[in-house]
Amino acid sequence: MRLLENPYAGKGLSDGVLAGVPVPSTNAGAPRALLERCPKAAVTPLLLLEALAGAGQVFVKDERARMGLGSFKALGAAYVIACEAEQGRAKGQTFVCASAGNHGLSVAAGAEAFGALAVIYLSDAVPEGFAERLRARGAEVVRVSGSYEDSMEAAAQAAATNGWQLLSDSSWAGYTEVPHRLMEGYLTLAAEAFEQMEHAPTHIFLQAGVGGLAASCAAYFRQVWGDAPEIIVVEPEHAPALYESIKAGQFVSTEGPVSNMGRLDCKEASLIALKGLSRDADGFMLLSDTEAEAAMPALAQLGLATSTSGGAGLAGLMKLPPLGPDARVLTILSEGAA
């Protein structure tokens, strides 16, 4: 485990590549109003654990049953497609994306609900079980040799060649409007957590891949709770995209082996997420695959069975020295067991 203090907290990076990139939205009302029309929409529980890892209280926002899709990602792409449907632009359209599993399910579910088509590009590292779930939602699955980044490149090329709508959960120069709206969907869970907590947390642990969830939640939590909570972003040691960018003081691409935290195994950060988290996070933590795996049995015994990706925030908390009995921690269990 490595922990990096964020020297840009409160002000954000001024890297030129971030010029013109929007900060994450904090408008939770828009996605909540739209997503609540979904028959499967329901508030997910906030669980309370006493004295976990030496903290007085640990609150866990449990996203494992979100809208029947099994993860927080249900709030993202499906919200974008719902917005398109409101404008009369979804029916018959083909949405294409790369996915490590859960984002693709949200695209597939949104397309299925609004009469659109979904084509999902998966790298070889994504388990076949995810591919089967995508096909069950009517999506076409295309396998790509190589990494998640290779599948992203293939999806972007397919969108350009076929005139399809690229629906990525990451952002880069020239591509920010769609992911900005997608990230706005994640504010639903942040707003729910705020309403479910009687008092502000002292610490918040947010796992990150490209950083969309972490950045959306951090921006919202700063708005409602101010500077009081200490916000720590947890990434895989093999995919330190945010950590290394903050360390370098500019956006950087990273390299490394495949992490067992598959849904977090992203070597480049979303520019929107990097811009937001460089302002809103207090620190960035790197977690090894072994450390993440070691936390899973303990979480399962507590009724929190999840994947190494879904429980990375909790695993990060468990690797720190005890925070003490006065610590009130908020974490997100972002998906069920793989």
Side-chain angles (χ1 to χ4, degrees), residues 127-326:
E128 182 60 21
F130 273 111
E132 292 172 358
R133 291 173 67 189
L134 290 166
R135 295 187 187 102
R137 291 277 179 179
E140 178 185 346
V141 174
V142 181
R143 283 288 190 176
V144 176
S145 297
S147 65
Y148 173 70
E149 285 68 31
D150 293 320
S151 66
M152 286 181 65
E153 183 177 343
Q157 183 59 54
T161 300
N162 299 298
W164 296 340
Q165 172 66 59
L166 181 65
L167 209 175
S168 177
D169 58 352
S170 189
S171 62
W172 51 86
Y175 184 78
T176 58
E177 182 178 355
V178 169
H180 190 264
R181 175 165 288 176
L182 181 145
M183 288 171 60
E184 189 174 67
Y186 300 156
L187 294 173
T188 297
L189 76 88
E192 289 175 4
F194 168 68
E195 293 168 357
Q196 290 167 321
M197 291 196 71
E198 185 176 355
H199 302 289
T202 59
H203 300 76
I204 302 172
F205 288 78
L206 300 169
Q207 56 265 44
V210 296
L213 172 67
S216 294
C217 289
Y220 186 83
F221 293 149
R222 286 293 181 225
Q223 177 178 268
V224 296
W225 286 320
D227 294 335
E230 182 175 351
I231 298 179
I232 305 298
V233 177
V234 181
E235 294 180 283
E237 190 174 71
H238 293 329
L242 291 158
Y243 182 103
E244 291 296 342
S245 293
I246 294 298
K247 184 178 178 181
Q250 61 183 359
F251 172 83
V252 297
S253 298
T254 63
E255 297 180 351
V258 174
S259 171
N260 69 9
M261 289 169 267
R263 261 69 69 206
L264 306 181
D265 188 21
C266 306
K267 311 304 187 189
E268 293 187 357
S270 162
L271 292 186
I272 299 173
L274 176 59
K275 188 166 185 173
L277 289 168
S278 69
R279 177 195 64 185
D280 296 325
D282 294 293
F284 295 82
M285 176 188 292
L286 296 184
L287 202 64
S288 73
D289 283 9
T290 300
E291 289 167 335
E293 196 69 53
M296 296 304 104
L299 294 181
Q301 288 182 353
L302 293 168
L304 302 176
T306 185
S307 68
T308 49
S309 301
L314 279 161
L317 164 66
M318 294 164 72
K319 284 304 298 180
L320 285 179
L323 297 177
D326 295 330

Side-chain angles (χ1 to χ4, degrees), residues 16-36:
V17 75
L18 298 178
V21 173
V23 294
S25 172
T26 55
N27 178 18
R32 294 185 84 181
L34 192 56
L35 290 167
E36 282 171 2

